[in-house]
Amino acid sequence: MAGEESVRNKQVVLKNYVNAGLPKESDMEIKESSVLLKVPEGTKDAILVKNLYLSCDPYMRNRLKEIEGSYVASFQIGSPINGYGVAKVVDSTHSGYKKGDLIWGITGWEEYTLVTAPDTVFKIQHTDVPLTYYSGLLGMAGMTAYVGFYEICSPKKGEYVYVSAASGAVGQLVGQFAKLLGCYVVGSAGSKEKIDLLKNKFGFDAAFNYKEEPDLDAALKRHFPEGIDIYFENVGGKMLDAVLGNMRVHGRIAACGMISQYSKEQLDAVHNLIYIIPKRIRMQGFIVTDFYHLYPKYLEMIIPQIKEGKITYVEDKAEGLESAPAALIGLFTGRNVGKQLVVVSHD
C-alpha cells in the first residue's frame, strides 16, 4: 500500500526441540523477514510494537521441549520464540494504546511484534525509573519475588530465610524483601562474584557457594543452627532434599522453580519428604500469572523503595538480538550475573 513503510524484522527462530540435555545456540537461528509498520487492515484490538528489551527466564527451558499439558505451551519450530519484554507501540487499533506508549509483557524475540492479545501486556506508567527494570524488577521477576515471599510464605519479622539461586532475577529481590522486613537471610549461588554481590550489594546476612560445599546438609546447619523458617525454592534436587531436613516447625517453602531439573532426562528423587509431617511444613508451588491482579499493589510498594534506594537490582545485559540465544542458554549454566536481558534497541 502506498505510503506504508516496510522494514526488516530480524527474528530468533527455534530450529529443534531439546527434550533432554542443555540447549545449544545452534538449536535456534537468526532469520530475517520484513514487516509493515502498521497493524494489518481489519485487525481489531491489536498493537504493533518495536521491541526494546527481551527477558531471558528459566521457565523458557520447558518451552524448548516438545511437551503437552504444561502451564505454558512449547515454542513452535520455525517460528520466532517469545517471552517477556519491553516495547514501544508503533501502531494500534486498540482503544487502550496509542503510538509511543511503552508496554511490558509477552512479545516476540524479534525487532517488531504484532500483539493480538493485549491482555498479556501492561502499559508502563512510571517512566522515571530505568526502562530495563520492566524486564525484571518491575515485571514478571519482581512480581514472582513479591508473590512468592509475601503471599505464599506469610513472613514475619525475625524469621530465618533461605534463598537458593539467590543472585538471579528473582532471588536477589526475595533476599532484599526479607531484609527490609527484619529477617535473617542467607543465599546460595555458584560463584565468588555472586556470593560477594549477595553479601555486599544485596545485604544478605551470609551466603555460600553451593559448588564448594561437598555436604549441603552441613552447609545449611552451619548457616542455620536453629533451622529455616522460609525457603524460597529456585533449584530443586539435592538442595531441596537438604533443606527439608533443616526446616523448622511450621516452616514454609515457596516452590518457584527447580532449575537443576529442567534439562535432566531422569529427575532427581527427593528423599526427605517425610519431614513435612512432624515439622508441619507447608510447601506450595505457584505460577505468577495467577497473581497479576496484585500488580498495582506491588508497584505501590516497590516504586517508593526504588526511589529511596532501599532496593537495588543487578542486570546482565546482552547487546543485540544476535546475542539472544547465547544469553538464554547461559541461564542454565549460571553464566549470568543478575537479571539476564537482551537489548534489541536503545530507541
Side-chain angles (χ1 to χ4, degrees), residues 243-297:
V243 168
L244 283 165
N246 285 282
M247 293 295 289
R248 300 180 77 179
V249 169
H250 298 301
R252 285 87 72 207
I253 298 174
C256 171
M258 297 194 181
I259 199 168
S260 72
Q261 304 300 297
Y262 297 163
S263 294
K264 291 197 170 179
E265 215 156 356
Q266 194 64 52
L267 300 179
D268 289 339
V270 174
H271 303 278
N272 283 337
L273 214 48
I274 193 166
Y275 287 111
I276 73 172
I277 303 163
K279 293 188 175 185
R280 289 81 112 191
I281 296 166
R282 180 166 60 80
M283 181 171 179
Q284 184 180 337
F286 71 101
I287 301 295
V288 69
T289 49
D290 296 345
F291 295 87
Y292 275 169
H293 59 282
L294 297 176
Y295 185 60
K297 189 177 154 193

Side-chain angles (χ1 to χ4, degrees), residues 43-114:
T43 309
K44 283 195 172 75
D45 292 339
I47 54 176
L48 181 74
V49 299
K50 177 179 186 175
N51 293 312
L52 307 177
Y53 309 110
L54 300 175
S55 171
C56 297
D57 296 296
Y59 81 89
M60 296 172 79
R61 174 65 188 91
N62 284 333
R63 302 194 69 190
L64 295 169
K65 298 175 184 175
E66 191 173 19
I67 46 175
E68 281 175 29
S70 171
Y71 72 94
V72 62
S74 297
F75 294 129
Q76 293 301 305
I77 286 178
S79 295
I81 69 174
N82 62 16
Y84 285 91
V86 178
K88 187 186 217 166
V89 177
V90 176
D91 189 37
S92 170
T93 56
H94 189 289
S95 58
Y97 298 91
K98 61 183 191 305
K99 185 178 177 175
D101 281 349
L102 293 161
I103 59 109
W104 75 268
I106 299 292
T107 188
W109 277 36
E110 53 191 352
E111 291 175 286
Y112 295 90
T113 299
L114 180 68

